[in-house]
Amino acid sequence: MNLVTLQNVRKQYSERLLLDDVGLLINRGDRIGLIGVNGSGKTTLLRIIAGLETPDHGKVTIWGGVRVRYLAQEPALDERLSVLDTLFQSNAPQMRLLRDYEAAMLALQRQPADPAVQGRFATMTETMDREGGWTAEADAKAVLSRLGISDFDALVVTLSGGQRKRVALARALLDPGDLLILDEPTNHIDADAVDWLEGYLLDLPAALLMVTHDRYFLDRVVNRIVELDRRQLVSYTGNYTRYLEQSAVRHERLAEMEEDRRRLLRRELEWLHRSPSARATKQKARKQRVDELLTISYDSRQDKVAMTLASRRLGKKVLTARGLAKAYDGKPVFADVDFELAPGDRVGIIGPNGAGKSTFLDILAGKLLPDAGSAEWGETVHIGYYDQRNVELDESQRVIDFIKGEAELIRVQERNTPAWNRTAADIQLIDAAQMLEWFLFPRPQQYASIAALSGGERRRLYLLRTLIHQPNVLLLDEPTNDLDIQTLAVLEEFIDHFAGCLVVASHDRYFLDRAVDYLVSFENGQVTGRYPTPFSVYRRLREEEEQEEREEGKTGKGRKEGKTDSANNRSRDDGLRQTRRLTWKEQRELEGLEARIEGLEARRAALQAEVNASGDDYLRLQELAGQLEALEAELDEAMMRWLELAD
């Protein structure tokens, strides 16, 4: 059954065309993931389907009786209401029934002797029994709890932006309508909540249309991907993995068609240039064919975000933090936290909202003083801090001026040269305008004010500002929030080539698995030891530890002491042996060893050939034999280290 139909929809803001005669069908049972570059018009499309904006041209048909519900990135809530009352304002049948019952009960309290009021209350009680309305409040509290909201009586005005988003998400889940539209539903919720949300949405009878950067979420929840690309919608059947496969095939086919177009265009232009008579007689068909070939263009995707920036050398000492503690209004956030970084370390910080992850990064970055403890950085450290708040973005400033204010010229490096083999010749300088183009800010947009940018475009601009100072230690606080998947993929590629240390706080399991080697968790004011990635291994090891702790608790405290630590360390070491990936430093060493072994083998072959050619020159043979013996020893040592790393 068709729920919503878009036909030839066109939308433009000022000089910027977002949607160009697009069409889309949304049917019952669809779970659609909408993806595209920040600023391409994804939120605008969602708002048009939700009826909050009108297209400049075309038609949006919502078929009779279909209820559409929309969760915005920054939902508007009545600040005078409590959390629970906000959910009771929903139009979900159970919530309406509960409101009617409470109204009847309040009327009975005011007029207990009125027969009409008594009859109304009796009727509502019977309806509550029949419709199962008594569970409405329990259901609302259960959903809120799974999303990390425990104070049901708190006023909305006292909530943070992330908490408001979770309250609005709970309201949308309890009243999804026939089509539920979600704009970045996984922002501001932790990994456990995302895991629960996946299962909840899979069981939801409503159709889904959502924008999210969480690729694991897209893999597990959606059955169709719609890509907004160059003002057009392209639909792919299946989840995110299937989309990657189909998209690659599509672009290979388009590349072949583009090559055929160029070949034909060259042939037609050559004919026109060497045929004066043809030009004189104006053969319209031939000229029209050339005009059509000139207007066709293929998106080669060469203008994707580029982030191959030069970085600084990092010394042996990076970070030693001891006894860090922080409290707000007398309430501890965390206490007695020790944390170290060695060259090449890549650490992910996880934990529930409010556990202190952002506060911890603020302290490491020097933006906030700890109540106790200290953090000592090495002398060669240059920190790049990408926080959630974008506090240094001046909305009145132009995009180009914001970057020029940081650096007129930016050092970049050759992408294809390995980090361990780069020289000064691989470094070049580009100006701010060119760098902005690499980050998908075309020249006209560079002269717009920052206030005119979308939320995702602001995050991308702030990311550029963080990276152009060539940090060798990156602190990233929820970097995946509001960034599109294309930018995230290239950020991950940048991190692959980044020669420094990385500390990232994130709920995005895919990004953590892709970018870091170890995870630490903020839990109940404390920080766990390091666990190996991927996230599934961390979760398994933590579950094993918790199970052992429960079993030890049953057998008595005396036996528990000393045993739990050894069991925990054993399980963690098992996980390291089974799943540990090479650190960045080890990966670079492995790449260097491969090149080194190849060079040593070539030198050995050359020496062997020289030995064979030396004949009766015993002095020369003795010298060559010594060189060959030393070379063999060096080669054996390199091979052993290569086998150790490769294993």
Side-chain angles (χ1 to χ4, degrees):
M1 174 183 172
N2 183 232
L3 304 177
V4 178
T5 303
L6 276 68
Q7 296 173 294
N8 302 320
V9 168
R10 183 183 179 91
K11 186 67 177 181
Q12 184 168 345
Y13 286 109
S14 185
E15 300 299 320
R16 191 174 184 183
L17 181 61
L18 296 178
L19 305 172
D20 189 7
D21 293 333
V22 303
L24 180 67
L25 296 177
I26 303 176
N27 301 313
R28 189 176 300 280
D30 277 347
R31 295 195 299 272
I32 301 172
L34 177 63
I35 64 175
V37 174
N38 288 135
S40 60
K42 300 188 298 296
T43 295
T44 298
L45 179 62
L46 296 186
R47 289 176 58 82
I48 287 174
I49 296 173
L52 301 177
E53 290 191 32
T54 56
D56 299 332
H57 176 267
K59 185 178 180 182
V60 179
T61 303
I62 299 176
W63 298 102
V66 170
R67 296 185 306 131
V68 178
R69 295 288 179 265
Y70 173 58
L71 174 68
Q73 284 194 49
E74 298 180 3
L77 300 177
D78 189 338
E79 295 187 343
R80 300 167 297 176
L81 298 177
S82 70
V83 168
L84 203 55
D85 287 340
T86 298
L87 267 61
F88 288 162
Q89 298 304 308
S90 162
N91 288 321
Q94 273 193 321
M95 292 301 176
R96 290 199 304 268
L97 186 59
L98 188 58
R99 288 201 303 271
D100 291 344
Y101 172 78
E102 290 184 339
M105 184 173 62
L106 183 61
L108 183 65
Q109 291 172 353
R110 292 172 177 171
Q111 299 172 289
D114 189 326
V117 173
Q118 293 174 354
R120 171 66 176 163
F121 180 74
T123 301
M124 286 306 307
T125 302
E126 292 175 1
T127 305
M128 289 284 285
D129 289 334
R130 185 175 63 253
E131 301 293 337
W134 305 110
T135 64
E137 184 173 349
D139 291 343
K141 290 181 177 179
V143 171
L144 285 169
S145 297
R146 296 309 298 261
L147 294 176
I149 302 293
S150 56
D151 189 352
F152 308 130
D153 296 323
L155 295 178
V156 170
V157 70
T158 66
L159 303 181
S160 67
Q163 290 171 323
R164 294 186 187 204
K165 178 68 177 282
R166 281 175 271 151
V167 170
L169 176 58
R171 185 174 65 176
L173 295 176
L174 291 168
D175 183 24
D178 300 297
L179 171 62
L180 179 58
I181 302 175
L182 304 174
D183 198 350
E184 295 290 1
T186 59
N187 280 2
H188 308 296
I189 60 176
D190 60 35
D192 288 336
V194 171
D195 193 50
W196 169 82
L197 181 60
E198 289 172 356
Y200 192 95
L201 291 178
L202 285 172
D203 293 335
L204 207 63
L208 295 174
L209 172 63
M210 70 187 83
V211 171
T212 179
H213 60 264
D214 191 318
R215 285 153 289 184
Y216 280 158
F217 195 83
L218 288 172
D219 245 358
R220 294 166 182 167
V221 174
V222 309
N223 55 22
R224 184 174 159 206
I225 294 287
V226 173
E227 183 177 16
L228 178 51
D229 184 23
R230 296 299 191 276
R231 302 170 295 280
Q232 296 294 318
L233 295 178
V234 184
S235 184
Y236 300 86
T237 302
N239 61 8
Y240 182 71
T241 299
R242 287 286 297 133
Y243 152 75
L244 291 177
E245 297 168 355
Q246 296 175 68
S247 178
V249 171
R250 172 176 174 261
H251 282 278
E252 286 176 5
R253 186 169 64 250
L254 289 174
E256 293 172 358
M257 293 170 60
E258 171 67 4
E259 184 58 34
D260 291 342
R261 180 191 74 87
R262 291 181 178 180
R263 191 180 302 110
L264 181 58
L265 181 59
R266 285 195 299 269
R267 191 161 59 242
E268 293 295 321
L269 288 173
E270 287 172 1
W271 181 87
L272 286 176
H273 289 155
R274 69 171 181 263
S275 180
S277 59
R279 291 198 299 273
T281 55
K282 297 181 179 180
Q283 293 195 10
K284 293 183 179 179
R286 205 80 184 240
K287 288 181 175 294
Q288 184 177 356
R289 187 177 187 181
V290 171
D291 290 339
E292 290 174 353
L293 289 170
L294 287 170
T295 58
I296 297 172
S297 63
Y298 160 65
D299 171 22
S300 64
R301 293 194 161 184
Q302 293 301 310
D303 59 347
K304 68 178 182 179
V305 181
M307 297 186 189
T308 309
L309 306 181
S311 59
R312 306 172 192 258
R313 184 188 69 85
L314 186 62
K316 293 182 178 180
K317 180 181 178 182
V318 182
L319 171 66
T320 302
R322 292 285 182 265
L324 294 178
K326 189 66 183 178
Y328 289 108
D329 300 326
K331 184 179 180 181
V333 179
F334 53 78
D336 199 26
V337 171
D338 295 340
F339 189 78
E340 292 186 358
L341 282 179
D345 275 358
R346 292 160 177 256
V347 182
I349 300 176
I350 59 176
N353 291 298
K357 301 185 297 297
S358 295
T359 299
F360 179 68
L361 290 182
D362 282 343
I363 290 174
L364 294 187
K367 304 289 185 183
L368 187 67
L369 290 176
D371 296 336
S374 63
E376 297 181 1
W377 290 97
E379 293 181 358
T380 61
V381 167
H382 293 268
I383 298 174
Y385 184 27
Y386 180 65
D387 62 37
Q388 293 192 58
R389 300 177 294 275
N390 299 353
V391 291
E392 298 178 20
L393 284 178
D394 181 357
E395 293 192 352
S396 64
Q397 201 172 14
R398 296 187 306 179
V399 172
I400 185 71
D401 294 333
F402 176 73
I403 295 301
K404 280 186 174 181
E406 300 295 327
E408 286 278 355
L409 295 175
I410 300 158
R411 298 173 74 237
V412 298
Q413 57 199 15
E414 173 58 43
R415 294 176 66 95
N416 297 324
T417 305
W420 53 268
N421 197 32
R422 289 189 181 115
T423 65
D426 299 315
I427 305 297
Q428 58 176 308
L429 293 176
I430 65 169
D431 61 23
Q434 185 176 349
M435 194 67 206
L436 282 165
E437 284 189 322
W438 283 9
F439 271 66
L440 298 186
F441 292 103
R443 297 285 172 133
Q445 192 179 18
Q446 294 177 17
Y447 292 90
S449 68
I450 293 175
L453 301 180
S454 70
E457 288 171 320
R458 294 186 193 194
R459 293 288 283 169
R460 193 194 309 147
L461 181 65
Y462 192 60
L463 178 62
L464 171 57
R465 182 253 180 208
T466 303
L467 298 178
I468 59 176
H469 293 292
Q470 305 159 42
N472 50 25
V473 174
L474 269 178
L475 307 179
L476 306 178
D477 191 5
E478 294 294 351
T480 64
N481 282 0
D482 299 320
L483 286 183
D484 56 77
I485 289 175
Q486 291 86 340
T487 303
L488 282 176
V490 183
L491 174 58
E492 290 160 355
E493 183 182 351
F494 167 80
I495 289 173
D496 284 344
H497 295 84
F498 179 61
C501 287
L502 174 69
V503 181
V504 51
S506 178
H507 297 309
D508 190 322
R509 299 154 297 173
Y510 189 103
F511 184 80
L512 290 171
D513 287 353
R514 181 73 170 75
V516 304
D517 299 315
Y518 302 100
L519 296 174
V520 299
S521 177
F522 275 58
E523 301 172 5
N524 302 317
Q526 300 296 320
V527 179
T528 67
R530 296 188 179 189
Y531 293 81
T533 52
F535 186 85
S536 58
V537 170
Y538 156 78
R539 176 169 285 174
R540 175 175 61 80
L541 294 176
R542 289 295 288 158
E543 288 173 352
E544 290 175 1
E545 291 176 2
E546 291 168 1
Q547 178 63 28
E548 288 189 10
E549 289 173 2
R550 286 192 294 269
E551 292 175 356
E552 291 292 343
K554 294 177 182 178
T555 58
K557 189 174 181 180
R559 292 179 57 189
K560 180 177 179 180
E561 292 180 359
K563 184 175 179 181
T564 301
D565 286 342
S566 62
N568 291 350
N569 291 335
R570 185 173 62 254
S571 66
R572 198 177 308 169
D573 291 342
D574 289 344
L576 280 167
R577 283 194 297 270
Q578 293 170 13
T579 64
R580 188 179 77 81
R581 299 182 301 178
L582 294 180
T583 65
W584 180 90
K585 186 177 180 180
E586 289 171 334
Q587 182 63 45
R588 299 287 79 79
E589 183 185 0
L590 181 61
E591 293 174 359
L593 280 170
E594 291 170 353
R596 181 182 167 201
I597 289 169
E598 185 177 346
L600 289 172
E601 289 176 337
R603 284 172 55 194
R604 182 177 63 179
L607 275 176
Q608 191 64 56
E610 196 170 347
V611 166
N612 296 336
S614 294
D616 297 330
D617 189 347
Y618 296 107
L619 291 177
R620 179 59 178 159
L621 282 172
Q622 188 175 5
E623 179 186 351
L624 291 174
Q627 293 180 18
L628 192 58
E629 183 179 357
L631 184 63
E632 290 282 5
E634 186 179 358
L635 182 58
D636 288 343
E637 181 183 354
M639 285 294 293
M640 289 299 295
R641 180 57 177 161
W642 183 89
L643 288 170
E644 181 183 346
L645 291 174
D647 188 51

